[in-house]
Each structure stands twice: as C-alpha cells, then as structure tokens.
Amino acid sequence: MRLSRKSEYALLALIHLAKNFDIKLVTLKALSGQNDIPPKFLETILIFLKQAGYIRSVRGPKGGYKLAKSPDQIALAEIFRCIDGPLAPVISASLHFYEKSPIEKSKKLHTLLKEIRDYVSAILEKTTLKDLL
Amino acid sequence: MRLSRKSEYALLALIHLAKNFDIKLVTLKALSGQNDIPPKFLETILIFLKQAGYIRSVRGPKGGYKLAKSPDQIALAEIFRCIDGPLAPVISASLHFYEKSPIEKSKKLHTLLKEIRDYVSAILEKTTLKDLL
DNA sequence: AATATACCCTACAAAACACATAGGAATTAT
DNA sequence: ATAATTCCTATGTGTTTTGTAGGGTATATT
C-alpha cells in the first residue's frame, strides 16, 4: 500500500466531516482552507467520494458537504481501496484487485507478501473514521 | 510499500543467484531467460545492484554474476528500500526517507500508519534471501 | 425574478514515474 | 583475433499523479 496525495486529502476531508457529523454542512472552501488542500483538486475528490456513497452534498447558499454514514461505519480500508486501489504490496498479492505478476514465481516471497497484505488489511478494516477523532 | 516491477525482477534475480551462491556464476542471459525478465531491463537492474554492493560480476566468456554476500546476510528490507524507497505507506511515516506530508495533520492516522510501517519493516528486516530458498 | 452562493462535471495539462530499449565501450577466455 | 560477456549512458514511451480551467446547475435570500 502506498498512499497518494489524493487519498491523504480525502482522509483529511472525511475526518473534518466526521467531526461535524449530524451538526452541520461544511463548504468546500472551509474544507480546503482549514486543511490546506488545493480547492479545485479537493472538489474533484469530493465528487468522487459522493459518487462512491461516502458523502452527501447540498447545493446553493447554506450548502456544503456532510458524511452519508456515521463515522463508525466507514472503515479506512474501503476508502484507500476506492482511491488508491490494492492494499497489498504487489498486485498479485491482492484479493480485490488480483492480476498475475512476476513475483509469483517465488512462492515463499509471494506468501510473505500476502501475510503483509493480511495484516494491513485487518488493521485498516477494523479502524473507522470514528477511531481517528 | 508498493513493489515496482523493477524490484520484483531484482528479487527474482537475487533469489536465483542465492541458489547458486558459492557454486557458479550466472549470466544475464540465464537470469533473464529462466525468470522471464526483459534482458536489457534486467541488465540495468544488475548494474544497480552491483553498485549497491549486493552482487559481483565477472566479464568476458565464462563471466556472469554472483552474490557479494551470503544469502542470510541480505535482508529484504534493504533491497526494497534501495530500489523502491520507503517501506512506509506514506513518506511522512518513513524513518529513512521522511518528508513532510499533509496526513501529519491527523495525529491518530499518522500514528496508525507508523504502526503499519513498523510491522512491515520488522518482517522485512528479519527475512533474508536465505529464507526464500 | 434577480442575485449571489455554492456544488457539479468534463476536459485538459504539466511533471514525475515506470518500464523498458538502443547502441556502443570495455573486459577476458579461447 | 574472435566471440562472449558485462558496463554505461542516453533515449523513448506510456501511464499516473497532481493538479487547473471553465462553464453548468441548484437554491436561499432579497
């Protein structure tokens, strides 16, 4: 797993929204300003997160974004997978994104990489946005 | 950590050399042919591994490559770091390659990512080429 | 209904990176 | 001398990352 800048920004925004869950809508401007995220880039990320079902939005004045589910219902694993793809260190060790790759020729190494995947996956499946507040 | 094709090839070649440690030299042609690695690409990788001190070479007919140290002296962590950089999921969670990154704004998430780094690092530090034979 | 505020959507662009290939130079066994 | 082999640097090409631009759409407020 390697986190892209995009998923870093996504996480920061989601955490910000989690803090305001059931309280208020947060605007793009606020999310971008308070977390030092380039606004137009964040906008594309938020649209993506919306289409993925993690957030909802309201347009017009008084509009903004909010979480679509409660923070304890959003596991980090889901978010990383949907933005950055496989959690495994190599594609052939991935359950959700498997493709053939040369490293499979070494069975022992492949097994080791799958152990790493299992650990990373387990820890990110059990950690939710709520745990980050 | 995300393994590039380059480090996959490097590992396969090193494992091949580990199998022949203290027995014989292995040519580029053999390494490339038996492991399905594009020869010219592998060549650049081998030169890199040589300059990094992991392998030695002999030129001319009967030439080839061999490991510079015994297989139990080469930890996977070193190899991955020297080819792919940080083992950590994000640069700001890396000990050897630290740079500032946005995710540090979330202390809890940052801590979690460092835990993942610690696990991955530990397992790859203790596993050597010998363990893959 | 006019206005201003805010989100929506698609396309584009520059830079970095990944994945190689090309071609010739240097070394050495026979 | 020749052939086999490694050494080195440059280049090419496609993909991914990290954004930006610009116009469209909805809605609260007046």
Side-chain angles (χ1 to χ4, degrees):
Chain A
M1 179 194 44
R2 162 83 208 296
L3 257 63
S4 67
R5 199 51 63 105
K6 187 172 171 183
S7 64
E8 291 191 59
Y9 291 153
L11 256 295
L12 290 176
L14 288 170
I15 290 169
H16 190 138
L17 293 177
K19 285 178 184 160
N20 290 277
F21 182 63
D22 266 359
I23 301 178
K24 63 172 179 180
L25 293 168
V26 186
T27 65
L28 170 65
K29 201 172 169 186
L31 286 169
S32 126
Q34 293 178 39
N35 297 284
D36 280 318
I37 306 174
K40 293 297 276 181
F41 193 21
L42 180 56
E43 197 177 12
T44 63
I45 296 169
L46 291 172
I47 289 171
F48 181 80
L49 289 173
K50 186 192 174 183
Q51 289 168 352
Y54 294 111
I55 64 180
R56 285 198 238 278
S57 62
V58 174
R59 277 143 87 133
K62 306 288 184 183
Y65 298 91
K66 64 175 177 180
L67 286 189
K69 326 183 204 179
S70 102
D72 60 0
Q73 294 300 305
I74 303 179
L76 302 191
E78 301 177 53
I79 301 166
F80 289 140
R81 283 208 193 92
C82 107
I83 294 181
D84 280 340
L87 301 180
V90 73
I91 192 84
S92 61
S94 170
L95 285 175
H96 294 73
F97 299 85
Y98 174 85
E99 286 174 31
K100 262 183 76 85
S101 117
I103 209 72
E104 292 176 86
K105 292 201 170 63
S106 168
K107 189 146 179 348
K108 290 202 178 179
L109 183 47
H110 198 225
T111 299
L112 181 71
L113 294 176
K114 285 190 284 191
E115 280 172 35
I116 291 177
R117 172 206 68 197
D118 287 340
Y119 172 85
V120 171
S121 177
I123 199 168
L124 293 178
E125 291 290 0
K126 78 158 199 265
T127 307
T128 69
L129 284 183
K130 186 185 178 189
D131 299 316
L132 301 179
L133 303 182
Chain B
M1 180 194 44
R2 165 83 210 294
L3 257 62
S4 66
R5 199 51 64 106
K6 188 173 172 182
S7 64
E8 292 191 59
Y9 291 154
L11 256 295
L12 291 176
L14 288 170
I15 290 169
H16 190 139
L17 293 177
K19 286 177 182 159
N20 292 277
F21 182 64
D22 266 0
I23 302 178
K24 62 172 179 180
L25 294 170
V26 186
T27 64
L28 170 64
K29 201 171 169 186
L31 284 170
S32 126
Q34 294 177 40
N35 297 284
D36 279 318
I37 305 174
K40 292 299 274 180
F41 192 22
L42 180 56
E43 195 176 13
T44 62
I45 295 170
L46 291 171
I47 289 170
F48 181 81
L49 289 172
K50 183 190 177 185
Q51 288 168 352
Y54 294 111
I55 64 181
R56 285 199 240 277
S57 62
V58 175
R59 274 142 88 135
K62 307 285 186 186
Y65 298 92
K66 62 175 178 179
L67 284 190
K69 327 181 201 179
S70 100
D72 61 359
Q73 294 300 304
I74 303 179
L76 302 191
E78 300 177 55
I79 301 166
F80 290 140
R81 281 207 193 93
C82 110
I83 294 181
D84 281 340
L87 301 181
V90 71
I91 192 85
S92 61
S94 170
L95 285 173
H96 294 73
F97 298 86
Y98 175 85
E99 286 175 30
K100 262 182 76 84
S101 114
I103 209 70
E104 292 176 87
K105 291 200 170 66
S106 168
K107 191 149 177 343
K108 291 202 177 176
L109 183 48
H110 198 225
T111 300
L112 181 70
L113 295 175
K114 286 191 283 191
E115 280 171 34
I116 292 177
R117 171 206 69 198
D118 286 341
Y119 171 85
V120 172
S121 177
I123 199 168
L124 293 178
E125 291 289 0
K126 79 157 197 268
T127 307
T128 68
L129 285 184
K130 186 184 178 191
D131 300 315
L132 300 180
L133 303 183

